[in-house]
Amino acid sequence: MNLVNIVVAVYKPNAEYFKKLLDSLNNQTYNKIAFLFRDDSDDEEEHKEITKMIQEKITKFEYCIYKNECNLGSNKTFELLTKSSTGEFIAYCDQDDIWEKDKIARLLEHILKENAVLCYSNLSIIDDNDNLVACSFKDVNKRVKHMYGENLFSYFLRRNSVTGCTMLIKADVAKKAIPFCHKYYVHDHWLTLYASTQGTIAYLNKPLVKYRIHDNNQIGASMLVAVNSREDYINNKLLKENNKYEYLLKEFKFNKIQREKIQAMKNWTERRKVFFEKKSVKNTYFMVRSLREDWQLIIFELFINFAPDGIVKKVFSKIKS
């Protein structure tokens, strides 16, 4: 039987939510689980409370509790938890969701069946009071497309369909992904991107996590950060994407084919940036031809480049709200 490490990054959790999460973790039907908790709150009293809740709620499985010496953020905390893992598989866990009791059992069964390096599931959405908001992630994020299979590196370079709390990954693959690319990717996106270079990504279309929406994690809150105008979109979206691909090429070791795909994505991003900087028939024709790459994105960019400034600002405000 394979050992699964469930790794939990904790930062000043809501006690009610955290206790419900811990109950759901303790009720997992799969038997060979060990928990790794890491407190990122940099607060002794907070750490005592977190430890007390874990001790009271986790009674069926072994666990270790670590504490960061200073606040490092979730990405670095999950990286440290990945380093500390000793199991064959790792499941990543947020502090305020509720897991279905057969989550680990179902994911492990599917990852082994598909001979995959990473497996993830769908999720349902609940509110502050545990009321069901949506039965599927797609109900609240229409643009998401759950990708699975092989040769997905190009897709995951700039998009992600894997929510970290639904993920099970082979531990050796996760450890090879260290150091995480903290500058441009959150941990689940980076792990998925790296896993796509190592083998098959599997998907289970079952909501195995009740993902809690509240003020601190509202879906879409991180969309178009610092983007309120057309100029912001150029500087804080397209330029940032371009810098990301430059950073990947410079700082990380990818094989020749992967580097070519990164370069191709960089070139495409640069051409889209040029379209915003210089309106012309040639540049518009390039965008029309790019519809086959991502028709929703290209239609959006065509619109915001030609629409009046006032309308563009209202659109960005609407998207982020």
Side-chain angles (χ1 to χ4, degrees):
M1 185 176 283
N2 294 293
L3 174 62
V4 176
N5 281 138
I6 297 179
V7 299
V8 190
V10 186
Y11 178 77
K12 298 182 179 179
N14 176 297
E16 180 184 355
Y17 298 163
F18 191 52
K19 288 177 181 178
K20 289 178 179 179
L21 167 72
L22 293 173
D23 282 336
S24 72
L25 297 180
N26 197 55
N27 289 331
Q28 289 298 298
T29 58
Y30 187 72
N31 291 324
K32 198 170 182 181
I33 290 173
F35 293 98
L36 304 179
F37 295 90
R38 184 170 280 274
D39 174 20
D40 190 37
S41 62
D42 189 26
D43 185 303
E44 287 297 333
E45 290 303 313
E46 187 76 34
H47 185 66
K48 290 178 182 178
E49 288 301 313
I50 289 169
T51 300
K52 181 180 178 182
M53 286 186 281
I54 294 170
Q55 291 173 340
E56 289 177 352
K57 293 293 185 177
I58 302 299
T59 59
K60 290 171 54 180
F61 303 100
E62 295 181 356
Y63 59 84
C64 292
I65 305 173
Y66 304 96
K67 184 180 184 302
N68 292 341
E69 294 182 3
C70 61
N71 177 239
L72 299 175
S74 61
N75 256 21
K76 187 62 179 179
T77 300
F78 276 123
E79 182 181 284
L80 292 172
L81 286 164
T82 302
K83 285 183 179 179
S84 301
S85 68
T86 58
E88 287 77 40
F89 294 89
I90 302 175
Y92 292 82
C93 182
D94 298 330
Q95 65 187 23
D96 44 22
D97 303 324
I98 297 175
W99 288 19
E100 302 293 351
K101 64 181 181 180
D102 59 347
K103 176 181 185 286
I104 294 299
R106 295 286 294 272
L107 286 176
L108 185 59
E109 178 185 25
H110 199 64
I111 199 172
L112 294 173
K113 176 184 175 183
E114 298 295 320
N115 192 27
V117 296
L118 182 153
C119 181
Y120 69 109
S121 74
N122 203 340
L123 50 79
S124 59
I125 310 293
I126 58 174
D127 65 13
D128 296 51
N129 299 312
D130 301 347
N131 297 312
L132 184 67
V133 175
C135 295
S136 169
F137 188 48
K138 288 185 177 182
D139 294 336
V140 295
N141 190 338
K142 304 296 184 183
R143 186 164 157 74
V144 71
K145 183 178 180 181
H146 288 125
M147 299 295 290
Y148 55 95
E150 299 179 341
N151 303 316
L152 295 174
F153 181 76
S154 292
Y155 182 88
F156 287 122
L157 263 177
R158 69 183 186 90
R159 290 174 290 191
N160 189 30
S161 63
V162 181
T163 307
C165 61
T166 71
M167 175 197 300
L168 183 72
I169 186 173
K170 285 188 173 181
D172 59 341
V173 172
K175 288 175 181 290
K176 289 177 185 177
I178 296 172
F180 294 176
C181 183
H182 302 289
K183 191 171 183 178
Y184 291 105
Y185 291 95
V186 293
H187 73 282
D188 52 6
H189 194 172
W190 177 250
L191 286 164
T192 303
L193 176 63
Y194 186 82
S196 72
T197 72
Q198 302 297 301
T200 300
I201 306 294
Y203 173 65
L204 190 60
N205 190 20
K206 300 288 183 182
L208 299 180
V209 174
K210 295 176 181 176
Y211 180 89
R212 188 184 302 279
I213 291 181
H214 53 80
D215 290 341
N216 293 325
N217 76 336
Q218 195 83 285
I219 291 176
S222 61
M223 291 177 63
L224 299 173
V225 174
V227 176
N228 301 296
S229 66
R230 185 183 296 107
E231 291 70 26
D232 289 343
Y233 190 83
I234 296 170
N235 296 322
N236 300 329
K237 181 69 166 65
L238 293 174
L239 184 59
K240 184 177 179 180
E241 279 190 29
N242 188 66
N243 292 341
K244 175 177 71 177
Y245 301 131
E246 284 186 358
Y247 186 79
L248 291 177
L249 290 169
K250 180 180 178 181
E251 300 295 334
F252 293 92
K253 294 181 180 179
F254 292 97
N255 66 32
K256 181 181 178 182
I257 294 175
Q258 292 155 6
R259 291 181 66 83
E260 288 174 352
K261 290 180 178 180
I262 296 171
Q263 186 63 55
M265 196 64 69
K266 181 177 184 297
N267 294 342
W268 188 57
T269 305
E270 287 175 342
R271 285 297 304 273
R272 288 160 49 218
K273 182 171 176 289
V274 169
F275 164 70
F276 278 92
E277 294 171 339
K278 183 179 180 181
K279 295 177 183 177
S280 68
V281 173
K282 179 181 178 182
N283 290 336
T284 302
Y285 178 66
F286 166 79
M287 294 295 286
V288 172
R289 289 186 62 191
S290 294
L291 284 168
R292 60 190 175 187
E293 300 292 336
D294 188 334
W295 68 269
Q296 290 176 308
L297 174 67
I298 297 303
I299 288 176
F300 175 72
E301 291 185 343
L302 284 165
F303 172 78
I304 64 173
N305 199 23
F306 287 111
D309 290 346
I311 292 178
V312 171
K313 290 179 180 179
K314 287 181 180 179
V315 168
F316 285 130
S317 177
K318 181 67 175 178
I319 289 172
K320 293 196 284 186
S321 66

